[in-house]
Amino acid sequence: MAEHNDIGTYGENLACQYLEKKGFSILHRNWHCGSYEVDIIAKNNEYIIFAEVKTRTGTYMGQPEIFVTKQKQKNIITAAQRYIDKFHHTEEIRFDIIAIVLKGEHYSIHHIEDAYKTTWR
């Protein structure tokens, strides 16, 4: 497996642990519907969140969250629509970004709740 895949998987593991500590249950990881994918789908008492995780080993090219482009957001929204239709969830939904910067054995997590909106629901 390529190193960038290992970094991404490690970041997703950290993001899941972080969300679980905040009271979320992880429903799915790397959920696919056709060519669309959501890194983490999680649920608490209020929301189902569709989270995009961006993990980087530094910020020399910018903070990780800036790499969640408008097109990526549209793709996640489409995947979320399909997910809700398939599983018939009625909870409020939210789109989050979890940005992780690795610094040797240490890391920082920046959780951006409700990072972007949709008029769909």
Side-chain angles (χ1 to χ4, degrees):
M1 182 182 285
E3 181 180 355
H4 71 277
N5 290 336
D6 292 342
I7 291 169
T9 299
Y10 180 63
E12 288 177 8
N13 291 339
L14 292 173
C16 284
Q17 292 169 11
Y18 169 83
L19 288 171
E20 289 173 334
K21 286 180 185 174
K22 289 187 74 171
F24 284 89
S25 297
I26 306 302
L27 300 176
H28 298 279
R29 285 184 63 172
N30 304 112
W31 187 81
H32 286 84
C33 183
S35 62
Y36 302 106
E37 183 211 2
V38 180
D39 290 337
I40 299 172
I41 302 171
K43 177 182 174 181
N44 69 4
N45 294 331
E46 295 179 67
Y47 296 100
I48 288 182
I49 66 165
F50 296 87
E52 176 68 10
V53 180
K54 289 296 181 190
T55 307
R56 298 290 185 266
T57 56
T59 58
Y60 51 91
M61 297 202 46
Q63 296 298 322
E65 61 267 24
I66 69 170
F67 295 95
V68 182
T69 64
K70 292 289 184 192
Q71 185 59 53
K72 181 66 173 176
Q73 293 172 21
K74 288 178 186 178
N75 291 347
I76 293 168
I77 290 167
T78 299
Q81 289 171 321
R82 293 181 181 178
Y83 181 86
I84 295 298
D85 289 344
K86 179 174 180 149
F87 294 102
H88 308 291
H89 284 287
T90 58
E91 296 88 353
E92 291 293 317
I93 63 167
R94 193 175 77 196
F95 297 95
D96 293 5
I97 298 172
I98 301 175
I100 300 173
V101 178
L102 304 175
K103 302 170 191 163
E105 294 183 21
H106 303 284
Y107 61 90
S108 64
I109 295 179
H110 182 207
H111 181 190
I112 306 165
E113 297 180 2
D114 215 9
Y116 49 95
K117 305 276 187 193
T118 178
T119 57
W120 144 64
R121 200 161 167 197

